[in-house]
Each structure stands twice: as C-alpha cells, then as structure tokens.
C-alpha cells in the first residue's frame, strides 16, 4: 500500500501556494499581452497609446515574482518602449530607458558568468 498520512503541509497551505502561483502566472501573461498590444499601437503610429501600454506591460512583468527584472521578457518590452520614445521624439526619456536596459543587460551578463 501507499503511504497516506501527514506530510506536514496542510491542504490550505498548498491551495494558498497554488493561488499565489496562478496570480503570478496571470500577471506575466497579462504583461505579455499588453506588450503585444503596445507593439500594435506602435505599428499603427499611435505612439502615446503604445507608450502607456508598454509601460503597463513593464510594470506588470517587473511586479511578477516568477521572473527577474533582467529577464528577457522585461528587456524586450524596455527596448520596445525606447523605440516608441525615439519615434515620439522623447529623446531624454529614450536615453534613460536605454541606460536602464544597459544596466539590466550587464546584470544578466553577470548572471550568466561562471562562478
């Protein structure tokens, strides 16, 4: 027979962890959808809307505990945002965004270096 009995973790704790994981997955997926939407606004030439939506995508992804701020998914959205800012002639904001991107990329490079 198989072992039943107490493993020390209550069903409530497991369910709570599952709910938390589902929330994080939802945030990540929502951020991804917003990122795609931002790209579409950019392609249509609606730079104001593209900027707003991409900033929301970045914020959602950065708030997600499943990934780090230097995750590829965040870096792509930051790069897209910088492109929108350049197209909208918001050069100082674009420079700042690219500088953030460089910092995150250098952190990522550090993450990939052998110890």
């Amino acid at each position: 027979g198989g072992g039943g009995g107490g493993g020390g973790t209550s069903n409530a704790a497991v369910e709570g962890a599952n709910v938390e994981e589902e929330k994080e997955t939802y945030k990540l997926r929502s951020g991804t959808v917003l990122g795609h939407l931002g790209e579409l606004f950019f392609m249509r030439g609606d730079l104001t809307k593209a900027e707003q939506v991409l900033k929301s995508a970045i914020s959602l992804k950065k708030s997600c505990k499943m990934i780090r701020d230097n995750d590829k998914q965040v870096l792509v959205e930051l790069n897209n945002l910088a492109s929108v800012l350049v197209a909208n002639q918001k050069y100082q904001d674009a420079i700042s965004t690219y500088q953030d991107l460089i910092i995150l990329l250098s952190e990522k490079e550090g993450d990939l270096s052998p110890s």
Side-chain angles (χ1 to χ4, degrees):
T9 306
S10 72
N11 284 341
V14 170
E15 286 175 23
N18 288 342
V19 167
E20 191 60 34
E21 187 177 331
E22 283 180 29
K23 284 181 184 177
E24 293 301 309
T25 300
Y26 177 78
K27 274 199 265 187
L28 188 57
R29 287 184 179 155
S30 297
T32 299
V33 170
L34 284 172
H36 293 309
L37 186 60
E39 288 178 54
L40 287 172
F41 282 126
F42 183 34
M43 288 181 218
R44 273 189 14 188
D46 190 343
L47 302 177
T48 302
K49 196 73 175 165
E51 181 182 345
Q52 291 170 347
V53 173
L54 286 168
K55 283 180 176 177
S56 294
I58 292 163
S59 177
L60 255 179
K61 287 183 177 184
K62 281 187 168 187
S63 75
C64 182
K65 297 173 190 138
M66 295 172 68
I67 62 173
R68 298 175 65 169
D69 283 359
N70 66 358
D71 186 275
K72 179 183 174 192
Q73 296 187 52
V74 176
L75 299 178
V76 166
E77 304 304 354
L78 276 169
N79 192 56
N80 290 342
L81 175 61
S83 297
V84 167
L85 293 168
V86 168
N88 209 13
Q89 299 180 2
K90 293 184 175 182
Y91 301 119
Q92 199 53 53
D93 291 341
I95 289 168
S96 176
T97 303
Y98 280 125
Q99 288 171 334
D100 291 345
L101 193 52
I102 289 166
I103 291 166
L104 292 170
L105 283 167
S106 65
E107 288 173 5
K108 188 161 190 73
E109 187 179 312
D111 291 348
L112 300 174
S113 300
S115 301

